[in-house]
Amino acid sequence: MQGLSLNTRAAIMSVLLLVGGLLVWELSIPAQQTVGELTEYERLTGGGEARAGVPPPSQVIVKAWEELSNPFYDAGPNDKGIGIQIGYSIYRVLTGYALAALIAIPLGFLIGMSPVAYRALNPFIQVLRPISPLAWMPLALFIIQDSEASAIFVIFICSIWPMLLNTAFGVAGVRSDWVNVAKTHELGPLKTAFTVILPAAAPTIVTGMRISIGIAWLVIVAAEMLVGGTGIGYYVWNEWNNLDLTSVIFSILMIGVVGMLLDTMFGLLQRRVAYVE
Amino acid sequence: MKPFLSIEKLTQRFPDGKGGELTVFEDATFGVEKGEFVVILGHSGCGKSTIMNILAGLADPTGGGVIMDGQEVKGPSLDRGVVFQNYSLLPWLSTLKNVTFGVAARHPEWSKAQVTEHAVKYLGMVGLEGDVIHRKPSQLSGGMRQRVSIARAFANHPKLLLLDEPFGALDALTRGTIQDELLKIWGGTEQTVFMITHDIDEAILLADRILLMTNGPFARVAESVEITIPRPRSRTEIVEHPNYYAIRNHLVQFLGRRSKEMAGSRTGTDTNRPEPMRIDRTAPADEPESRRPPLRAVND
């Protein structure tokens, strides 16, 4: 054990924790009683029905294998592959998120450059920011009249704030020396914005984008439970209505994996734009 | 005839935060000739940096103006290159890119290869070659960073080079090396340089002429001391020169005593022109005129 690298030791420990956890979970699920052992009374009161219980991990793994080996099948509105459901969710998240970035980053730039704009817009931002994105849902459904677009709007409204605030903060915090370098080299405002201010503020901006994508992925599940139809959030809720807890657990895990992948992507982007002063 | 760079009745006042005004300096008037290396020496807080910022075009004076080469200085320009004390390199760009950034701004019509070649040449002049030029500034020592900054400024051939305490953040040994390098690069050009420092030895080594500033408020450029030590100079040889300690003592006396005595009062005159001062202990009898190395022309 001593001779192994830190990473190897951590990996071994992770595997042990996983196996141990799964084992405890598997053993703590009581076995289903078979019909033959029941008394007549129990049989009459419905005790022979398979009781809905938390499924053991072995069942979840089997389910995962089934689902992942055919992720894109489409057998009607209530029976689609996990890949299709996740695809819908990612499409909504990315659309709403891209619209938010399109507005938040230029607007954040302006706010960061102008102390007047910062002070003028600050009260609105402070009031709008803490609103739970789902609170917008009824209003969005009424105004937009389309559940699909409303879900995208909810993603838009929840991911705009961290990007807006971080962009403004990052731009306002660009060191005046660097701006002076741009000035003494006679760079125009646009050239200064792209060659000096943007790279200088990029780490802060990307941090905001990373926070936003995390929030957007949290919110899409809840939003899809409300609007229904498609998406991983709808899938979870639908399987709950079917009392198929194996599928519920499987989809919970998938939500985690996709969220992790989205976060990792922005983590890589963050590393690319980082610099040491 | 006006000097190449003419600072005329320059006045800077700031609000003092109590409803009044603080006059940093008033009616400062002096000139710098083409090709001259002028150093301004004074205590911190006397307004040296304010003068520098006005010359760079990064700040506007309350009154008066600066005329360079017949044109009034308004806003920053590529004609006035600046080396800042904290290097001001862009940390996300490599060393080479920090220099090409400036070269490309100066010569937008040049091809990428031309820009790179020019930048590499100037980095080579400050001793940065090979792998080093692809490193980020954070991977360089303070001295190397300032070299990059100097290369960036020289590569652009500005009409006036402004050095704002360029060696202030470096240790004494590194400072000496880079001073020598600066002299070497400058010697090959007709570059006009205006530099701020509070290091007396550095000023004597580098300058054709030292402007002495009194303490603020109402700071003024009181004297203009000609450095009567022939070039090329080296740090080890100038201390042997008979004028060295005479000039040095004069500067120490000024900074230590007279800068305080002369501070804080208005002079009453319209223009605060520095008093020219020439200290020369080399007796012409010992050294015939013809054998003396030529001194550079001096304003006033």
Side-chain angles (χ1 to χ4, degrees):
Chain A
M1 212 52 189
Q2 288 296 323
L4 299 172
S5 79
L6 189 70
N7 279 342
T8 325
R9 276 185 284 162
I12 292 171
M13 201 153 162
S14 290
V15 170
L16 286 178
L17 279 173
L18 178 70
V19 172
L22 289 178
L23 215 63
V24 170
W25 177 9
E26 183 82 42
L27 296 176
S28 63
I29 309 283
Q32 204 67 244
Q33 285 175 306
T34 55
V35 182
E37 294 163 347
L38 298 174
T39 62
E40 191 174 352
Y41 174 74
E42 280 169 331
R43 244 176 301 162
L44 286 173
T45 53
E49 299 290 316
R51 246 185 2 161
V54 177
S58 48
Q59 265 185 46
V60 177
I61 291 166
V62 170
K63 177 81 192 171
W65 180 254
E66 271 171 33
E67 288 286 347
L68 290 176
S69 54
N70 185 15
F72 297 109
Y73 74 91
D74 188 351
N78 271 340
D79 193 9
K80 292 188 204 314
I82 188 79
I84 290 179
Q85 306 288 23
I86 288 177
Y88 273 111
S89 298
I90 290 179
Y91 153 72
R92 286 182 190 125
V93 162
L94 291 186
T95 312
Y97 181 82
L99 288 173
L102 231 52
I103 289 176
I105 293 172
L107 191 64
F109 237 85
L110 285 177
I111 297 175
M113 300 277 259
S114 150
V116 179
Y118 185 82
R119 291 194 186 190
L121 287 169
N122 197 35
F124 300 106
I125 297 173
Q126 294 307 331
V127 169
L128 293 173
R129 192 169 59 110
I131 298 172
S132 162
L134 292 174
W136 292 97
M137 190 59 110
L139 195 62
L141 284 169
F142 178 75
I143 294 172
I144 305 173
Q145 303 266 329
D146 178 67
S147 63
E148 175 77 28
S150 298
I152 291 172
F153 172 77
V154 167
I155 294 305
F156 165 81
I157 204 81
C158 78
S159 43
I160 198 165
W161 308 116
M163 283 197 270
L164 182 66
L165 288 171
N166 266 47
T167 306
F169 182 73
V171 168
V174 172
R175 277 180 40 189
S176 56
D177 301 333
W178 300 336
V179 181
N180 283 343
V181 168
K183 281 185 187 162
T184 54
H185 286 87
E186 287 184 31
L187 300 190
L190 220 61
K191 194 109 196 269
T192 306
F194 280 105
T195 56
V196 177
I197 297 176
L198 188 63
T204 325
I205 297 174
V206 174
T207 305
M209 295 176 81
R210 194 175 178 182
I211 298 171
S212 279
I213 198 80
I215 294 177
W217 189 246
L218 290 180
V219 167
I220 193 64
V221 175
E224 284 170 345
M225 283 180 178
L226 282 175
V227 297
T230 47
I232 189 76
Y234 165 74
Y235 180 83
V236 176
W237 200 249
N238 194 37
E239 296 304 337
W240 158 239
N241 285 333
N242 295 340
L243 269 182
D244 183 357
L245 282 174
T246 318
S247 291
V248 169
I249 292 172
F250 165 65
S251 46
I252 288 174
L253 287 174
M254 288 311 290
I255 293 170
V257 169
V258 174
M260 186 189 73
L261 290 177
L262 287 173
D263 187 65
T264 312
M265 269 165 48
F266 279 88
L268 289 176
L269 183 61
Q270 213 169 16
R271 284 230 313 257
R272 278 202 62 140
V273 298
Y275 58 83
V276 189
E277 272 186 43
Chain B
M1 203 193 128
K2 275 194 174 166
F4 170 71
L5 175 74
S6 172
I7 285 89
E8 296 173 1
K9 302 185 78 170
L10 206 62
T11 303
Q12 187 63 281
R13 295 190 178 90
F14 292 121
D16 65 359
K18 287 174 277 185
E21 273 189 332
L22 181 81
T23 303
V24 186
F25 48 82
E26 200 173 44
D27 293 329
T29 303
F30 59 92
V32 176
E33 294 297 339
K34 204 171 175 68
E36 205 179 8
F37 199 127
V38 172
V39 170
I40 192 158
L41 195 63
H43 287 283
S44 21
C46 71
K48 298 185 303 261
S49 291
T50 313
I51 290 187
M52 184 62 94
N53 282 338
I54 293 170
L55 289 180
L58 295 170
D60 289 319
T62 317
V66 178
I67 293 168
M68 186 175 84
D69 215 5
Q71 277 185 316
E72 189 173 4
V73 164
K74 271 258 175 289
S77 156
L78 280 161
D79 283 337
R80 279 162 279 125
V82 193
V83 174
F84 300 93
Q85 178 177 1
N86 45 20
Y87 329 125
S88 290
L89 300 175
L90 303 175
W92 54 89
L93 296 179
S94 71
T95 297
L96 178 63
K97 289 269 167 63
N98 263 290
V99 180
T100 55
F101 168 89
V103 178
R106 182 72 170 179
H107 304 284
E109 73 285 358
W110 282 11
S111 72
K112 222 177 153 191
Q114 261 179 306
V115 169
T116 309
E117 191 193 343
H118 190 74
V120 168
K121 183 176 139 202
Y122 274 84
L123 281 166
M125 281 164 71
V126 292
L128 294 174
E129 278 164 329
D131 242 9
V132 183
I133 63 170
H134 299 295
R135 288 199 208 148
K136 296 273 166 75
S138 57
Q139 294 164 301
L140 303 179
S141 66
M144 282 162 113
R145 286 186 216 184
Q146 195 56 291
R147 284 192 177 106
V148 179
S149 193
I150 289 171
R152 182 173 68 185
F154 270 92
N156 274 3
H157 300 293
K159 286 183 184 170
L160 174 66
L161 181 61
L162 299 165
L163 306 174
D164 187 358
E165 294 195 34
F167 311 122
L170 304 176
D171 64 273
L173 289 174
T174 314
R175 198 184 304 169
T177 323
I178 303 189
Q179 282 164 359
D180 288 344
E181 268 166 20
L182 178 65
L183 272 181
K184 214 167 66 197
I185 309 178
W186 177 76
T189 60
E190 279 296 293
Q191 184 69 58
T192 313
V193 184
F194 186 79
M195 170 169 152
I196 288 185
T197 187
H198 47 229
D199 182 330
I200 292 177
D201 296 307
E202 177 174 295
I204 300 175
L205 173 67
L206 298 174
D208 290 319
R209 200 150 57 82
I210 297 178
L211 298 172
L212 291 170
M213 237 173 140
T214 64
N215 291 5
F218 294 102
R220 42 199 199 92
V221 183
E223 275 182 22
S224 159
V225 182
E226 186 186 333
I227 306 302
T228 47
I229 299 175
R231 293 186 189 269
R233 300 173 191 158
S234 83
R235 271 174 307 133
T236 44
E237 283 165 26
I238 56 167
V239 292
E240 312 280 348
H241 196 275
N243 289 346
Y244 181 79
Y245 279 101
I247 294 170
R248 194 175 191 282
N249 287 345
H250 181 78
L251 301 178
V252 170
Q253 284 295 326
F254 181 91
L255 289 179
R257 200 161 45 82
R258 295 201 299 132
S259 68
K260 282 189 217 76
E261 289 166 7
M262 296 165 86
S265 59
R266 311 176 70 128
T267 47
T269 55
D270 264 0
T271 45
N272 280 327
R273 226 173 249 287
E275 198 183 315
M277 184 72 69
R278 191 169 200 278
I279 301 169
D280 196 351
R281 296 286 161 82
T282 47
D286 302 343
E287 202 177 346
E289 193 69 29
S290 59
R291 271 185 46 218
R292 275 171 65 188
L295 294 169
R296 274 173 179 260
V298 157
N299 180 33
D300 287 319

